[in-house]
Amino acid sequence: MLYSSLVEIYEKMEATTKKLEKRDILAAFFKNAKGSLYKAVHLSMGIVPTGEAEIGVAQKMMIRVICQTYGIEEGSIMKKFKDLGDLGSVAEYFAEHRRQKSFSKKELTIDMVFDNIRLLPKIEGKGSVEKKISLVSELLSSASPKESLYIVRTVLSNMRIGVAHGVVRDAIAFAFNKDPKEVEHAWHLTSDFGRVAEMAKEGDLRAHVQLFRPMNVMLAERAPNLEEALRTFENPAVEVKLDGFRAIIHKKGGRIKIFSRRLEDVTVQFPDLLSWAKDCLRAEECIVEGEVLAVDPKTRQPRPFQHLSRRIQRKYEIEKMVKEIPIRIDLFELVHLDGSDYMKEPLRRRWSELKKIVQEKPGHFQLIDHIETKDLKEAEKFYRHALAIGEEGVVIKNLDAHYQPGRRVGFWLKVKPIMEPLDLVVVGAEWSEGKRAKTLGSLILAARDGKKFLETGRMASGLIEKKSKENPDLPTLEELTKILKPLVIEEQGKIVKIKPQVVVEVGYEEIQKSPKYPTGYALRFPRLLRMRIDEKKPEDANTVKDIEKLFSQQKRFKR
Ligand code: AMP
């Protein structure tokens, strides 16, 4: 198939903004593509898939390609580049005004363009720049002005004509008489429209997840709160939501690969995870998923995400990084096991099979915290604990649902505090009971309203008996009592009134309207994040107006 026929498509696509027209143009082209369908689909999107490798031709190198192909000085090219703003158009211009007509002109085919570009990332080592330049130049020498424009843009991965995902999906469906939903599903499993088009043409879109090919993973939707999330499913599981990096591990015999949620191969960055997967996955062949976290080397408890991101990005001195930034993985999914696709199985089955094949290595390679309950109290306790140990929240999962790759279909619901923390003033407290009777327990919090402080809730979460390793700045109940006792101005039974002086940073899940408090609002699941005694005065605390504003933002934010 001639490359010029693809150029016609580009021109037609550029000439219309209507999605349906774009779909019809592409569909007709795909139908005609015959043996080059795979390449035609990719090139129509301005892409040549090169796996993890990059094409490796940047603007500077492309300028040298243009110099060499048309025998033009760099200065003139730069001048044109300034005028036109795009190297594709520069190549088009010089192709039109070519001094020497090319004698070796052969008609370019889609295969030739695709194959030459696909070779580029494979060229490495000495003389690689020259080799790359001549490979692209070879294409340009045979190209018409318009062809040059699109070849340059494709090599630079900057096509400038937007061919949206949905248009390609619908064009494949339309060309081969398939349901766009099926096409979309197959894309999630393969993340490759070229292959999907071939499958659609052959009439079988029943894509399966494939070992060692990345897939789009299942995603979670946001739930407004725990109660509603639990109510959504007949049989819910509650899992801790960890703030880490999703890893998808593919294993067959001794071969293992690790992919990210963005379909990148990250095997090289995680030799530790690779070796645990070898030892701890008791299956000949499987695909499992989990959340990778950076951890403290001694306690194996999570450290903030920024540590982990250094690990993900680093591609050299890996062994040093493994020592500096130890990790652990908490596994939560199984989508393939010993030749069987588990995506159609309910979560209940996937989780039970996962448990069977994972030989845990605590603190390194382990199963995620998972309970199965519909009881709000039990789930709340689990949720509070997750927040107290610094995790993001929980994910409520439907135990009866299958695995839906790449979509937020509502089989998983995430519940996490969505709001930015508030700085509130402690205006009261309550003496504890029993053994802890000498310490103040829950705190009464207030927001500022002009010069007054209006109560807006009580907080007991985050008030701890013993020093926390994860958050050593958090005071113990005893320390808190020492700070607050001198400020007590009145006592009524177990309740004390406190002079408004101490500001605390409070996290919570959501703001609710409440007639119980003079601000008219209450916080759901408030918890102490830190003391702000040295940084903030009561007059710096958040106001009732701030709470009102956050409340209305939150309503818009909920999905
Ligand atoms: P979000 O990025 O907020 O949509 O949340 C989805 C991400 O949470 C997933 O891609 C995972 O990386 C992460 N995650 C953490 N814990 C879990 C869990 N228990 N189940 C599923 N995903 C989890």
Side-chain angles (χ1 to χ4, degrees):
M1 194 177 207
L2 291 180
Y3 187 63
S4 56
S5 59
L6 179 58
V7 168
E8 267 173 44
I9 299 298
Y10 291 144
E11 309 266 270
K12 283 189 192 162
M13 298 278 285
E14 213 164 7
T16 175
T17 51
K18 295 197 181 97
K19 270 196 189 156
L20 271 188
E21 271 178 32
K22 285 191 188 223
R23 180 201 69 179
D24 294 349
I25 297 166
L26 266 191
F29 177 64
F30 292 165
K31 260 185 166 164
N32 278 329
K34 309 264 157 34
S36 300
L37 180 60
Y38 177 85
K39 296 173 184 178
V41 171
H42 283 292
L43 280 178
S44 73
M45 297 185 285
I47 297 170
V48 174
T50 51
E52 285 309 298
E54 290 191 10
I55 290 181
V57 177
Q59 276 188 358
K60 229 168 142 191
M61 203 190 288
M62 189 56 87
I63 290 168
R64 286 184 59 192
V65 171
I66 299 174
C67 284
Q68 185 169 316
T69 313
Y70 308 110
I72 309 279
E73 296 284 301
E74 192 176 324
S76 321
I77 294 177
M78 291 311 289
K79 206 160 155 265
K80 262 285 156 246
F81 188 21
K82 263 200 189 136
D83 281 354
L84 301 172
D86 154 46
L87 282 177
S89 308
V90 173
E92 182 186 12
Y93 174 86
F94 287 113
E96 249 161 24
H97 298 81
R98 195 185 311 240
R99 269 182 257 145
Q100 323 112 305
K101 291 276 174 239
S102 165
F103 294 111
S104 65
K105 198 160 165 37
K106 40 185 177 186
E107 278 205 288
L108 284 180
T109 61
I110 283 186
D111 286 328
M112 281 154 68
V113 174
F114 188 94
D115 295 346
N116 263 27
I117 299 180
R118 188 138 73 173
L119 271 181
L120 290 169
K122 297 197 181 116
I123 303 172
E124 283 174 352
K126 217 171 141 222
S128 62
V129 172
E130 265 59 43
K131 278 187 211 148
K132 284 184 177 192
I133 290 176
S134 42
L135 214 58
V136 183
S137 181
E138 189 187 308
L139 289 176
L140 294 189
S141 312
S142 304
S144 70
K146 272 289 172 217
E147 286 175 340
S148 310
L149 167 85
Y150 291 110
I151 289 170
V152 168
R153 287 186 181 173
T154 306
V155 172
L156 292 175
S157 310
N158 181 12
M159 206 46 186
R160 290 174 154 221
I161 43 166
V163 188
H165 173 99
V167 172
V168 181
R169 175 198 60 213
D170 293 351
I172 294 173
F174 195 60
F176 305 110
N177 230 341
K178 294 276 174 256
D179 181 347
K181 277 202 195 114
E182 273 181 77
V183 176
E184 177 81 7
H185 182 73
W187 179 79
H188 281 308
L189 290 177
T190 57
S191 31
D192 184 335
F193 268 136
R195 273 190 63 220
V196 172
E198 286 180 332
M199 288 159 66
K201 189 178 173 188
E202 281 155 23
D204 187 1
L205 267 175
R206 279 173 305 165
H208 291 298
V209 57
Q210 283 195 349
L211 275 160
F212 306 114
R213 268 184 182 272
M215 58 167 201
N216 288 285
V217 292
M218 177 142 152
L219 296 169
E221 251 176 46
R222 170 157 236 151
N225 58 47
L226 196 56
E227 202 173 343
E228 256 180 60
L230 277 183
R231 221 186 297 131
T232 312
F233 307 133
E234 199 168 327
N235 297 300
V238 186
E239 287 179 3
V240 47
K241 183 170 193 312
L242 302 166
D243 184 16
F245 169 78
R246 176 111 166 232
I248 301 97
I249 306 177
H250 292 230
K251 172 182 191 264
K252 186 179 170 102
R255 185 173 173 221
I256 293 180
K257 261 188 188 294
I258 304 162
F259 292 103
S260 74
R261 166 178 163 174
R262 298 224 189 109
L263 319 176
E264 302 135 334
D265 183 341
V266 291
T267 317
V268 177
Q269 289 97 309
F270 294 103
D272 34 6
L273 184 53
L274 187 86
S275 95
W276 303 331
K278 261 190 192 136
D279 296 343
C280 308
L281 283 175
R282 299 291 156 99
E284 182 50 29
E285 195 183 289
C286 64
I287 301 175
V288 296
E289 289 182 38
E291 193 80 353
V292 174
L293 303 160
V295 292
D296 179 283
K298 289 209 185 81
T299 61
R300 309 302 295 179
Q301 289 307 308
R303 289 162 80 193
F305 183 77
Q306 64 263 30
H307 293 280
L308 186 65
S309 71
R310 280 176 58 215
R311 272 265 331 238
I312 300 164
Q313 281 151 20
R314 183 68 85 86
K315 302 221 168 94
Y316 57 94
E317 288 189 310
I318 305 279
E319 284 308 324
K320 194 168 154 234
M321 290 312 267
V322 167
K323 287 210 184 83
E324 258 175 45
I325 305 172
I327 53 154
R328 90 174 194 225
I329 186 166
D330 288 28
L331 298 153
F332 53 76
E333 262 300 348
L334 170 121
V335 292
H336 178 94
L337 176 62
D338 292 336
S340 303
D341 184 358
Y342 270 68
M343 289 199 176
K344 291 277 172 283
E345 299 292 337
L347 172 61
R348 186 191 312 285
R349 173 105 203 273
R350 300 199 305 275
W351 175 250
S352 83
E353 292 301 317
L354 180 69
K355 280 199 290 192
K356 280 188 211 153
I357 65 160
V358 174
Q359 169 97 26
E360 286 190 284
K361 184 174 160 68
H364 299 77
F365 196 86
Q366 59 188 34
L367 293 159
I368 205 153
D369 277 346
H370 167 116
I371 58 167
E372 294 177 9
T373 182
K374 209 171 159 59
D375 181 57
L376 182 60
K377 284 241 161 64
E378 203 183 337
E380 270 179 8
K381 202 170 145 209
F382 188 88
Y383 179 49
R384 279 214 193 91
H385 176 71
L387 295 180
I389 59 170
E391 300 307 353
E392 248 193 306
V394 289
V395 188
I396 313 294
K397 298 184 174 177
N398 183 352
L399 281 165
D400 301 310
H402 66 267
Y403 187 101
Q404 183 71 46
R407 299 256 301 279
R408 298 186 194 273
V409 274
F411 297 157
W412 289 1
L413 300 172
K414 56 188 171 188
V415 181
K416 53 183 184 177
I418 51 176
M419 312 301 295
E420 59 188 78
L422 284 169
D423 287 324
L424 298 172
V425 182
V426 181
V427 292
E430 185 172 357
W431 288 108
S432 311
E433 297 187 317
K435 277 204 311 245
R436 289 187 268 138
K438 288 214 168 82
T439 57
L440 289 166
S442 73
L443 303 184
I444 300 167
L445 305 170
R448 199 160 56 80
D449 185 23
K451 292 215 155 114
K452 285 189 294 192
F453 294 95
L454 300 185
E455 282 182 26
T456 197
R458 282 182 169 227
M459 171 177 72
S461 263
L463 308 185
I464 45 176
E465 278 189 78
K466 279 200 216 128
K467 243 346 187 197
S468 141
K469 270 192 203 131
E470 290 98 38
N471 192 352
D473 292 335
L474 220 54
T476 60
L477 283 170
E478 208 175 311
E479 289 170 339
L480 197 64
T481 308
K482 257 195 201 148
I483 297 169
L484 296 176
K485 215 172 152 191
L487 303 173
V488 170
I489 35 185
E490 208 182 286
E491 280 202 50
Q492 255 183 14
K494 283 204 305 204
I495 306 281
V496 296
K497 239 188 180 174
I498 289 177
K499 196 169 158 199
Q501 218 166 65
V502 173
V503 180
V504 288
E505 189 181 69
V506 178
Y508 52 94
E509 187 183 301
E510 64 174 328
I511 298 172
Q512 295 175 315
K513 280 222 178 228
S514 165
K516 206 168 133 191
Y517 296 106
T519 55
Y521 296 97
L523 304 180
R524 199 172 155 83
F525 295 133
R527 67 188 194 288
L528 179 64
L529 297 180
R530 59 189 167 130
M531 306 296 288
R532 311 217 68 177
I533 300 175
D534 301 326
E535 307 144 62
K536 296 228 165 173
K537 297 204 182 74
E539 51 272 31
D540 300 321
N542 281 114
T543 60
V544 178
K545 276 219 171 75
D546 293 335
I547 296 183
E548 253 162 28
K549 201 165 136 212
L550 285 167
F551 177 75
S552 58
Q553 281 172 355
Q554 156 191 298
K555 280 211 298 207
R556 261 183 283 136
F557 194 58
K558 276 187 194 174
R559 290 198 281 142

